[in-house]
Amino acid sequence: MTRIPATIVVALLLLVSPVVAAAPAGGADVSALSTDRDAAPSIDAAALTEPAGPISWITHGGQAARADTDETSRSIGNTLEMADRDLRSELTATGYENRFEAADTTAERQAVLDEALADMERRHDLLVERERVAINDHAAGELSTTAFLRELAMLSTNATDGERRLDRIDELASRDADVDISTRNLRYAFSRFDTPIRNDLVAATTGEGSIDEHIHVETSENTAVLSKIEGDQYLREGIQTDQYDPDGTEQFESRQEVLDTASDHYPWLYSLAPNEREPSSRTYGTTTRETVNNHPAGSTRIFLDSSTKGVFQEYHTLDLSALDRTATVRPPDGNITVGANRVPNGGPVWVNVTDDDGQPINATVTIGDGYTARTGGDGVAWLLAPEGDVTVTVSAPGAENATVTVRDPSD
């Protein structure tokens, strides 16, 4: 029998209705702004705006040890390593196939496939451990952000290869009707490395996708958060390694308890009216997958561990139009107006730049002394940013630079 970690996985693909808070009448409440003329004016988003709808996530920086924004890039070394691993994996799979074909009895064929599946379980466990080590090393400053992202791309590639290997095991098993083997649970375990951001990392690393795309990374000893802005969507992935306990004891006593726990973690999902979501579920041995779909603003997938009852991974794709953005402030003695707000718990920052007549300005916007973007013809930019209060500096031709501090509503 296949050994599968005692983990219950709840995967929720959901779309949430856009929620945009209205701007306060008459513009920003000056009582919420900094009055120190020597300091950058501050937008207190908690005072000026409504919360960003029900949209939220469990994994965020909190007390992140390290935050950085890097660009995706091609890596010849990683591409060659991926090719080498593919070749070695192919040779190993061929070895199992040759042994299977040479076997004379069902028992011998069963033994070959059992060994092949046990090998794949070890490979999965190694990917999980490599991910944990990479997160810890990045947080400790022992692994660069570029190297960290490339390691995640490598893990995703290896997981995809693992799923292909499982396809071959299934194909071999189909040649003997008396062989009893199932790859379903392990296949699902590998699938958690298949995320939107990691797929982009793999494509960029191999030169098959876009390069120079910004990925924001925040890590602590046990937590990693990746985020990016892709067109009009915000992509976010969170991992909590201390919430994953493959050798722990099953804590859920019923499916309802699983759903109740998921609801506690994500009340905004389960507050949707029944006619706004269509849940379905599939059971994979000790794992459960639930899906909620047919909502217009994005998707989320959540993994719950049955031992810790915690979220050990989640990823989201949300329309930017669903994220809260209000409040404006005019910097003292400046000739441009900067509207800005940020999404709580390390979400992106929205910036709108206009002139004295309220017309949009094509400006350069910088978060702290790092990540920079341009507003474009509509005067609007979304920027990735570390959790907490951030400084936004705006520069435009013929205008004085404007600097504001945007406070995190969750603080």
Side-chain angles (χ1 to χ4, degrees):
M1 295 297 292
T2 302
R3 181 189 64 78
I4 295 298
T7 302
I8 288 196
V9 178
V10 178
L12 300 147
L13 299 176
L14 60 124
L15 301 169
V16 287
S17 301
V19 179
V20 180
D29 177 0
V30 296
S31 65
L33 306 180
S34 170
T35 57
D36 185 349
R37 301 289 290 186
D38 296 326
S42 300
I43 300 175
D44 189 340
L48 292 176
T49 70
E50 296 296 326
I55 302 173
S56 63
W57 31 78
I58 296 299
T59 51
H60 52 86
Q63 299 182 13
R66 186 175 177 190
D68 193 13
T69 300
D70 203 355
E71 295 180 348
T72 56
S73 61
R74 185 177 183 183
S75 170
I76 299 299
N78 273 53
T79 302
L80 293 175
E81 184 178 352
M82 289 176 182
D84 178 64
R85 286 179 180 273
D86 284 345
L87 176 60
R88 284 185 290 158
S89 177
E90 180 68 22
L91 292 174
T92 301
T94 300
Y96 283 120
E97 185 169 356
N98 290 340
R99 289 172 55 196
F100 183 90
E101 293 293 349
D104 295 324
T105 67
T106 293
E108 291 174 347
R109 288 187 281 271
Q110 179 77 54
V112 171
L113 295 188
D114 286 344
E115 182 181 339
L117 198 58
D119 179 41
M120 296 311 302
E121 290 174 354
R122 288 190 294 270
R123 289 172 182 264
H124 169 266
D125 293 345
L126 178 61
L127 295 185
V128 172
E129 177 61 15
R130 283 178 58 184
E131 180 183 71
R132 185 194 66 77
V133 170
I135 291 172
N136 187 276
D137 287 352
H138 181 268
E142 298 174 2
L143 189 67
S144 72
T145 299
T146 297
F148 176 65
L149 293 177
R150 288 176 177 170
E151 173 70 354
L152 293 183
M154 183 65 71
L155 297 180
S156 182
T157 299
N158 290 347
T160 300
D161 174 68
E163 292 184 75
R164 289 197 299 265
R165 290 273 302 277
L166 293 177
D167 288 340
R168 295 188 68 171
I169 291 174
D170 282 337
E171 193 277 327
L172 291 176
S174 69
R175 302 180 190 180
D176 187 332
D178 294 324
V179 166
D180 181 16
I181 199 164
S182 174
T183 64
R184 185 175 55 179
N185 296 331
L186 188 55
R187 187 184 303 279
Y188 192 69
F190 274 120
S191 75
R192 82 170 184 86
F193 294 95
D194 179 16
T195 74
I197 289 182
R198 298 196 199 199
N199 289 338
D200 288 347
L201 289 174
V202 172
T205 298
T206 59
E208 298 177 358
S210 300
I211 61 174
D212 300 329
E213 290 187 322
H214 289 89
I215 305 286
H216 184 70
V217 179
E218 293 193 46
T219 56
S220 64
E221 181 181 359
N222 301 308
T223 303
V225 176
L226 314 175
S227 59
K228 66 177 292 189
I229 293 172
E230 188 173 272
D232 60 358
Q233 292 184 317
Y234 174 60
L235 280 64
R236 182 184 182 93
E237 176 179 347
I239 309 155
Q240 296 187 126
T241 60
D242 59 343
Q243 295 301 309
Y244 180 67
D245 183 11
D247 299 319
T249 302
E250 169 74 60
Q251 297 296 318
F252 291 119
E253 296 182 358
S254 67
R255 172 164 172 72
Q256 186 58 49
E257 187 177 359
V258 175
L259 299 179
D260 289 345
T261 301
S263 179
D264 289 341
H265 287 303
Y266 298 89
W268 59 283
L269 295 181
Y270 291 87
S271 67
L272 294 173
N275 64 338
E276 292 182 318
R277 58 190 180 101
E278 297 179 4
S280 63
S281 64
R282 300 174 185 175
T283 300
Y284 298 88
T286 59
T287 64
T288 300
R289 176 179 183 178
E290 180 170 333
T291 302
V292 180
N293 50 33
N294 293 333
H295 296 274
S299 62
T300 294
R301 192 174 181 184
I302 303 161
F303 294 81
L304 286 176
D305 186 279
S306 65
S307 301
T308 66
K309 293 189 176 182
V311 176
F312 65 87
Q313 185 179 10
E314 61 177 345
Y315 51 89
H316 310 256
T317 300
L318 297 170
D319 290 347
L320 289 172
S321 61
L323 305 179
D324 185 33
R325 56 199 196 285
T326 63
T328 61
V329 60
R330 184 185 182 92
D333 303 323
N335 55 357
I336 60 176
T337 296
V338 180
N341 192 19
R342 75 161 310 155
V343 180
N345 293 324
V349 174
W350 175 86
V351 179
N352 183 32
V353 184
T354 56
D355 61 18
D356 287 335
D357 298 323
Q359 297 301 309
I361 295 177
N362 191 329
T364 299
V365 184
T366 303
I367 293 287
D369 57 0
Y371 177 38
T372 296
R374 294 196 64 85
T375 59
D378 60 358
V380 172
W382 283 93
L383 294 94
L384 304 168
E387 190 168 353
D389 300 348
V390 295
T391 300
V392 175
T393 301
V394 178
S395 61
E400 298 178 23
N401 287 358
T403 300
V404 297
T405 298
V406 185
R407 304 194 188 284
D408 191 327
S410 61
D411 289 348

